[in-house]
Amino acid sequence: MKQGFKLALAAAALATGVVAAPQTANAQEIQITGPLAGAPAVRKLRLYREGRAELAVGGGFTLLDEYQRTPFISGRLQYNIFDWLGVGVFGGFSPASLPTDLTEKIDSTAPRNSRTAVNLPGTGGPKFEEQTGKMGWMATPQVTFSPFRGKLALFQKLFVDTDLYVHGGVAFVGVKERGDCGGGGGQPACNTAAGFKTADRVAVAPSFGLGLTLYPSNFVSINFEYRAFPFSYNRGGFDSRGSGPDASFPDNKIDSEDRTFKFNQMMFVGVGFHLPTSPKISE
Amino acid sequence: MKHARRWLLLVAALWLLPQAALAQPKKPAGGNKPPPTAPAAGGDIEIDDPNAPAHEEQPAEPAPTPTEETGAGGGGICEIDPSACPKQGDIKKLADRQVAADVYAVQQIYALRRGRFEINPYWSQSLNDQFVGHPGPGLAVNYYLTNVLAVGVNGTYYQPFNSDADFNFENRRATRLAVPLNEYLGGYAVNFTYVPMYGKFSGFGNFIFHYDGYLVGGVGGLFTRPIAVIDPDNRKFDFEHRIAFNVGFGLRIFLNRWFSVIGEIRDYIYIEQLENTQVAATQAGQQDRNTWFGEKPLTNNVQAQIGISMFLPFSWEYRLPK
């Protein structure tokens, strides 16, 4: 009897739960009436990009560098098919690389002996800085997608039109890194002066990032841009891979196996000039 | 009876008092709208006059067509001096005239901050240390004294998340040169935040979201210690407090009036204590704590902080003119 009562109670609780369970939510479209019904979010928008070509020039610098900092003199040539979509080329070259503090310390204090002979030039040889990996130039065909347009107020006095964009493309980067050595077949030995010479190659990498454009006038813009272009190269000019388990131990040779992955990053600041000089204005 | 007279006077006085002020001037009914003042001949017509009717406004009832009975149609001055009446050409000219409308670029600040608390949990990531990563969770609490100025505190906990990059090992193996490394326990700071810029973005031309940019700066402390890299057999370091100044900037994107996503770059500037790169020649010297410490360089620990921000109370009333 007692058990029957419990069962009945449980059944009643279940039935109550089922009945009291929330119904399926129904969304209702809010019908906007009045003058704003069907109106676009923005009227009379200056279309700074649509149908215009842009030439931007400026400077860039790499971030989180280990052995060499690379400043770039950079530029971008772009044609904007729509206000939200453009195609173009970003590129630049580095007139000189700047050694980091670590590079200078290695050059001045690292021991030169049989353990380091493959990795560091001997006393009286070339400087360590010369064997480090450097980026000389870069060319990146890319697509720019600008979904966000707006304005910002500075100190509640100065109002500037802005847009926020993302870009993606393929970067071709001219890399100078330590050439192959110690591999036989006419290659120099790695512990000789000839073994520390560098060689050029072109690295291909994905390139992507985002940026902010400020339009102080119809013709000129100011641009801040972040770019990532990860690829592998031998930044220190070291023999660090090639033998042992997973080929993760030195093999007394310098070759492509010694290239290690680096998430290369750079910032670009530039001034853009737009043609035609006046933008279209939306309805 | 005397009291009754006083009460009557009081009621009359109250009745004569002005009514409660309305934030927006009450629009007169269309039919009772006073007719616009006709301009004098050759004079300017002040179309920016707030009391003037808008051009788009249509009268509630169509105006009667001018007839012989109504004279020139303007009535009043038009009957006395028809040359003073507006002509159709004047109206068109006025309609085409450029209006310097008194419209603010940003009509109202989307989220007022004055008198509100901001609670900002975040995740912090090292930006400028290629040798050791110092990520960690943190929390900031700010109180906005004005709409653009806040005072607050923040703290970050780093200890279990310090990470030694593979690059250190490979560099040590190749060059036999060790780079002194340090790790963090935690940090705190008292900060001022200044919000000089705000704005809005239209996304895909369909929706609008608001954002603001701010500068932050303050002073606090970091608990750091060297990681024993040069002589790990003998050296063991404890965390020590270092005074750290900080400056930074950030961007806050509002998802609604009390909830936002926040991104910030903050540079914590302090004097670090590094491990001595030289090892004493004797065992007694190696175990002497005074030989363990090396350079004390000025260090910039640049961190990217990404998080969410909640404003309390959730709502407020606008007290600023539109």
Side-chain angles (χ1 to χ4, degrees):
Chain A
M1 183 68 189
K2 208 170 182 179
Q3 201 166 2
F5 177 72
K6 278 184 182 171
L7 266 175
L9 199 63
L14 181 66
T16 310
V18 169
V19 171
Q23 302 293 315
T24 308
N26 289 312
Q28 185 181 359
E29 188 186 354
I30 297 170
Q31 299 290 338
I32 297 174
T33 57
L36 292 179
V42 184
R43 284 188 186 279
K44 302 288 181 192
L45 182 70
R46 287 193 188 92
L47 303 173
Y48 287 105
R49 289 179 178 269
E50 187 173 308
R52 300 177 87 193
E54 179 199 6
L55 171 65
V57 289
F61 53 90
T62 50
L63 303 173
L64 287 174
D65 302 302
E66 291 153 350
Y67 299 104
Q68 292 287 341
R69 294 193 178 89
T70 312
F72 273 98
I73 295 171
S74 311
R76 184 181 57 229
L77 190 60
Q78 182 165 302
Y79 178 74
N80 299 290
I81 304 162
F82 306 110
D83 209 47
W84 52 271
L85 185 68
V87 291
V89 180
F90 174 89
F93 70 97
S94 175
S97 294
L98 307 170
T100 62
D101 185 53
L102 175 62
T103 299
E104 288 172 352
K105 278 207 168 130
I106 289 172
D107 208 30
S108 59
T109 62
R112 266 63 172 185
N113 54 38
S114 58
R115 288 177 165 184
T116 62
V118 170
N119 295 312
L120 298 175
T123 310
K127 293 182 79 174
F128 169 67
E129 178 190 336
E130 291 173 24
Q131 74 181 58
T132 56
K134 303 171 188 75
M135 287 181 267
W137 57 269
M138 171 190 240
T140 310
Q142 63 180 21
V143 176
T144 302
F145 181 51
S146 316
F148 300 121
R149 253 306 303 279
K151 54 188 168 184
L152 65 86
L154 282 168
F155 307 106
Q156 301 194 29
K157 295 285 180 197
L158 182 67
F159 299 95
V160 188
D161 288 336
T162 61
D163 67 32
L164 186 67
Y165 63 89
V166 293
H167 56 81
V170 181
F172 298 88
V173 185
V175 177
K176 182 174 280 199
E177 62 190 345
R178 192 173 171 190
D180 291 355
C181 64
Q187 289 182 5
C190 289
N191 56 2
T192 62
F196 287 94
K197 288 192 173 165
T198 54
D200 293 315
R201 73 178 173 99
V202 176
V204 182
S207 168
F208 52 91
L210 75 167
L212 186 74
T213 309
L214 310 179
Y215 298 93
S217 77
N218 287 337
F219 174 54
V220 178
S221 64
I222 298 167
N223 192 210
F224 303 92
E225 186 177 287
Y226 166 83
R227 179 179 300 271
F229 49 108
F231 63 89
S232 299
Y233 69 116
N234 192 345
R235 279 107 57 206
F238 299 143
D239 169 28
S240 51
R241 298 272 195 282
S243 74
D246 302 326
S248 57
F249 287 82
D251 61 352
N252 289 322
K253 288 189 291 187
I254 301 288
D255 53 24
S256 59
E257 284 198 80
D258 296 309
R259 295 171 190 160
T260 51
F261 178 78
K262 176 83 162 67
F263 193 81
N264 302 293
Q265 303 167 76
M266 76 181 295
M267 284 298 299
F268 168 74
V269 181
V271 178
F273 302 94
H274 302 258
L275 290 172
T277 53
S278 295
K280 293 177 196 168
I281 295 177
S282 74
E283 288 183 0
Chain B
M1 279 302 283
K2 282 180 185 174
H3 289 294
R5 277 186 201 164
R6 281 180 195 166
W7 281 114
L8 279 171
L9 277 172
L10 183 63
V11 168
L14 286 173
W15 186 67
L16 288 171
L17 270 178
Q19 300 298 311
L22 294 169
Q24 192 178 359
K26 196 176 178 181
K27 286 179 185 170
N32 299 328
K33 199 177 285 182
T37 312
D44 286 340
I45 299 171
E46 187 51 72
I47 60 173
D48 288 338
D49 181 1
N51 296 320
H55 292 293
E56 296 82 5
E57 286 182 11
Q58 298 295 323
E61 293 172 14
T65 310
T67 59
E68 288 297 320
E69 288 78 17
T70 56
I77 188 102
C78 294
E79 289 178 2
I80 301 163
D81 180 11
S83 66
C85 291
K87 299 180 183 66
Q88 198 58 37
D90 293 337
I91 298 295
K92 189 172 185 313
K93 191 176 156 192
L94 285 171
D96 292 342
R97 194 172 116 178
Q98 287 291 322
V99 180
D102 190 14
V103 176
Y104 297 101
V106 179
Q107 286 280 337
Q108 274 179 334
I109 295 174
Y110 179 70
L112 290 181
R113 292 173 284 266
R114 183 180 176 182
R116 299 176 83 190
F117 284 95
E118 180 189 18
I119 299 169
N120 164 218
Y122 60 82
W123 181 263
S124 181
Q125 188 76 32
S126 298
L127 273 192
N128 71 330
D129 195 336
Q130 56 272 62
F131 307 112
V132 183
H134 305 291
L139 181 71
V141 178
N142 295 313
Y143 177 74
Y144 280 84
L145 303 169
T146 72
N147 212 32
V148 296
L149 184 68
V151 60
V153 293
N154 79 297
T156 311
Y157 182 54
Y158 302 104
Q159 165 57 11
F161 306 105
N162 290 289
S163 60
D164 184 355
D166 292 343
F167 161 75
N168 293 312
F169 166 72
E170 288 176 2
N171 184 66
R172 282 197 294 267
R173 185 173 66 182
T175 66
R176 305 287 152 176
L177 183 80
V179 177
L181 306 175
N182 282 61
E183 62 181 351
Y184 300 166
L185 171 64
Y188 67 93
V190 178
N191 311 300
F192 282 98
T193 303
Y194 176 57
V195 190
M197 74 178 214
Y198 63 92
K200 56 186 174 182
F201 270 126
S202 154
F204 303 97
N206 282 331
F207 60 91
I208 287 175
F209 64 89
H210 293 248
Y211 68 95
D212 66 32
Y214 60 88
L215 305 172
V216 62
V219 63
L222 270 174
F223 294 89
T224 78
R225 71 177 176 189
I227 300 171
V229 174
I230 316 294
D231 186 10
D233 294 337
N234 292 301
R235 296 173 180 175
K236 186 175 183 304
F237 298 95
D238 297 320
F239 285 108
E240 289 181 14
H241 180 262
R242 329 226 180 261
I243 292 174
F245 294 88
N246 71 78
V247 291
F249 62 91
L251 189 72
R252 188 186 291 115
I253 295 171
F254 287 94
L255 303 182
N256 62 32
R257 292 177 196 263
W258 60 268
F259 188 82
S260 64
V261 178
I262 209 165
E264 183 179 304
I265 305 288
R266 189 94 71 101
D267 184 6
Y268 296 90
I269 305 159
Y270 68 103
I271 293 175
E272 182 60 286
Q273 173 66 70
L274 299 180
E275 184 185 8
N276 192 350
T277 54
Q278 305 296 318
V279 179
T282 64
Q283 191 172 10
Q286 290 166 7
Q287 291 175 348
D288 180 2
R289 189 178 169 80
N290 294 322
T291 66
W292 297 356
F293 297 99
E295 295 177 21
K296 286 186 168 183
L298 184 70
T299 302
N300 294 75
N301 169 35
V302 182
Q303 300 262 320
Q305 297 176 180
I306 296 170
I308 58 170
S309 163
M310 288 166 287
F311 282 85
L312 298 173
F314 294 126
S315 61
W316 72 92
E317 285 184 16
Y318 277 110
R319 293 186 186 279
L320 297 174
K322 191 171 182 180

